[in-house]
Amino acid sequence: MLENLYKQIVMDHYKKPHNKGKLTEEGALQLPYKNPTCGDVMVLYMNVDENRRIKDIKFEGEGCSISMASCSMMTDLVKGKTVDEAKKIIEMFNDMIKKGEIPEDEDALGDALALSGVHKLKARHNCSLLGWNGLDKALKQNELQ
Ligand code: ZN
């Protein structure tokens, strides 16, 4: 039952991704990122304000359903959060995928919790992590960590 519900959430995000598009304002960060193991590609766009808050975030990309759904879920989650909050969410998601750890506060990962089953599919870890690794890299490159 739960598995079917999770599948539905993933497919909903894949078919109707949230925050898809570009940010063209001056000062918007842009970072291309790709998953070498599956061919998933994405470009992340982000606006961080002077209080280190992610004011807006969008992505463009092409890839498998897990990778694109995960980008959609990730952007939903970190939009409006501070960089430090986003870093914690990235860590939580990594722990869920790589170690199979479900966060105590299940709401903390929002719809991304629906990807918990990817833990058992080692070959798909990088697919689910595409957007998250991209965000992590974008924060590091811009010395926001
Ligand atoms: Zn993939």
Side-chain angles (χ1 to χ4, degrees), residues 35 37-40 63-68 123-124 126-128 130:
N35 168 11
T37 54
C38 179
D40 308 318
C64 64
S65 54
I66 289 178
S67 69
M68 292 298 111
R124 309 305 295 280
N126 281 337
C127 299
S128 69
L130 175 79

Side-chain angles (χ1 to χ4, degrees), residues 68-115:
M68 292 298 111
S70 187
C71 286
S72 171
M73 294 162 172
M74 180 277 286
T75 51
D76 265 356
L77 268 172
V78 302
K79 192 170 171 176
K81 299 275 196 314
T82 65
V83 167
D84 295 321
E85 287 166 338
K87 277 166 52 185
K88 281 198 194 104
I89 298 171
I90 294 172
E91 206 180 296
M92 249 188 267
F93 187 80
N94 264 280
D95 285 347
M96 181 177 82
I97 297 298
K98 292 181 183 163
K99 302 180 195 162
E101 286 174 10
I102 305 294
E104 246 169 71
D105 174 11
E106 294 192 355
D107 293 339
L109 283 179
D111 282 358
L113 197 66
L115 291 170

